[in-house]
Structure formats: C-alpha cells, structure tokens
C-alpha cells in the first residue's frame, strides 16, 4: 500500500466545496463499470450527469458526512459516509434525486432506479456506518490518498465500535477495502456488472 505523502492535507468539506466535490465524484467514477452501464454514451457525458446527480445528493442529504484530501491546494480525493440509520435518503431527497434522474431521459432514469434499488436491497438491516461515495482523482491514484481517507474512516468506526458497510463495482477496489478490514458478504449482478457488498465488523 502506498504511504500517504506529507503534502496531502485532510480537511472537512464545507458547503462552498460541494460543486468541486460533485465534479470530482463525476469524473472520478466515470469509468466505473456500473456508471458506464447506467449512463451509457461517452465517458465525459456520464461524468457530467453523475456530477449533477451527486450535486443534488450532496445538497439534499443532511446526514452525509464528508472529508476531503487536498494536494497542492486542490481537492484530490473525497470520502462520504452516512451514520447509522441514515443511509437511505429521506423522501424529500429521494424526490429531488428522481427529478434530477428524469432530466437524463426515461431510460437512464430507469437504469439509475434499477441500480439504486438493487444496492438498497443488499443494505445491512443492523445498524452500520455506510461508506460512499469514495473517489480519488484519476491522475492521483496510487499515491496513498485513498488509504489516508480509509485509515481515518476505520479509526472512526473503531472509536465508535460501529459496523462498517459499503458497495463497490470495481474488482481492484475489493482488495483495497479488504486491507482496511472489510469483507465481501454478498455479490450481485446489477445492470450486467458485478457488484460487491462489503461489511467490516465492529471492533
Ligand atoms: C479505490 C480508490 C479510492 C483508491 O484510492 P487511491 O488513492 O488510488 O488508493 P491508494 O493510493 O491509497 O492505494 C492504492 C491501492 O488501491 C488499489 N486501487 C484500487 N483501484 C485503483 C486504481 N484505479 N488505481 C490505483 N490503485 C487502485 C490498489 O490495490 C492499490 O494498491 P497498491 O498501492 O498496492 O498498488 C481510487 O482508486 C478510486 O477513486 N477509484 C475509482 C472510484 C472508485 O472505484 N471508488 C470506490 C468505489 S466504492
């Protein structure tokens, strides 16, 4: 695992940062298999659409906690997590997300609904801290930024004695999360892509 570099600076995310966070999430995940399957078309249009969806989510979700890593003064990576009992968006947020999805056209909106419904079905019933979204800008991967965000996340879980949970659609990310104590508890095919559902026991 790459060692965190000293010029990586961790910081909380403020309201003023939300557009930059949404953009980072859009472009950072544009080549994730499930994003390609849901948005179709070219990667840059998928990135723009996901960025708009994330901007709606970030503004609508009051419970989502966010932490970022700056590198050379610019946002390089971000992790979000929902405290126990808050990982399903409240009705108002769901409606805003659906309204945003519909602006992408009915077929894309349908695929986004299939995706989010399938992931929600696998959610743990027991209380847990739900990690996601997590993204590091593409040209900055492999430099320890993701590990820095995850180390801090699992420390918080350990302090709280909380169960951790996440979903991923990238095979290489499964090994990454395993290093931080997450284990695959389920696997499912969603929109023709494999998704892994991972749990980390309470310490
Ligand atoms: C997964 C992710 C957050 C890891 O962040 P990172 O800053 O690259 O991670 P680190 O540098 O701390 O650790 C790198 C390790 O992550 C793993 N990894 C997973 N995806 C990777 C990627 N696309 N590029 C480089 N490493 C990746 C590798 O196993 C690597 O191990 P190594 O150092 O032994 O080669 C980042 O690659 C990413 O944003 N991926 C795309 C978005 C995504 O899939 N997010 C998670 C979905 S839930």
């Amino acid at each position: 695992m790459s060692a965190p570099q000293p010029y990586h600076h961790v910081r909380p995310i403020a309201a003023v940062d939300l557009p930059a966070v949404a953009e980072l999430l859009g472009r950072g995940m544009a080549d994730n298999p499930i994003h390609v399957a849901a948005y179709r078309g070219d990667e840059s249009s998928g990135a723009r659409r996901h960025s708009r969806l994330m901007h709606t989510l970030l503004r609508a979700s009051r419970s989502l906690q966010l932490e970022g890593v700056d590198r050379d003064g610019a946002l390089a990576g971000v992790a979000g997590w929902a405290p126990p009992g808050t990982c399903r968006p409240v009705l108002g947020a769901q409606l805003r997300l659906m309204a945003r999805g519909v602006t992408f056209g009915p077929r894309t909106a349908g695929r986004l609904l299939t995706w989010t419904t399938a992931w929600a079905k696998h959610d743990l019933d027991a209380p847990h801290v739900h990690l996601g979204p997590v993204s590091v800008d593409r040209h900055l991967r492999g430099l320890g930024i993701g590990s820095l965000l995850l180390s801090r996340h699992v420390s918080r879980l350990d302090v709280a004695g909380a169960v951790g949970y996440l979903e991923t659609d990238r095979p290489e990310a499964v090994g990454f999360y395993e290093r931080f104590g997450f284990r695959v508890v389920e696997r499912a095919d969603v929109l023709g892509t494999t998704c892994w559902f991972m749990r980390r026991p309470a310490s």
Side-chain angles (χ1 to χ4, degrees), residues 1-2 28-29 32 134-136 141-147 167-168 170 172 176-177 179:
M1 192 182 312
S2 324
M29 296 176 129
N32 276 41
V134 177
S135 186
V136 172
R141 290 185 193 156
L143 298 176
I145 297 170
S147 297
E167 309 95 348
T168 187
R170 291 188 89 109
E172 67 271 33
F176 171 74
Y177 289 125
R179 294 180 193 178

Side-chain angles (χ1 to χ4, degrees), residues 12 14 30 45 59-60 68 70 72 76 81 85 95 113 140 166 172 176-177 185 199:
S45 110
R59 286 166 51 105
D70 277 351
D72 298 335
W81 65 95
L95 292 174
L113 191 61
L140 298 173
L166 62 86
E172 67 271 33
F176 171 74
Y177 289 125
V185 287
R199 176 183 184 276

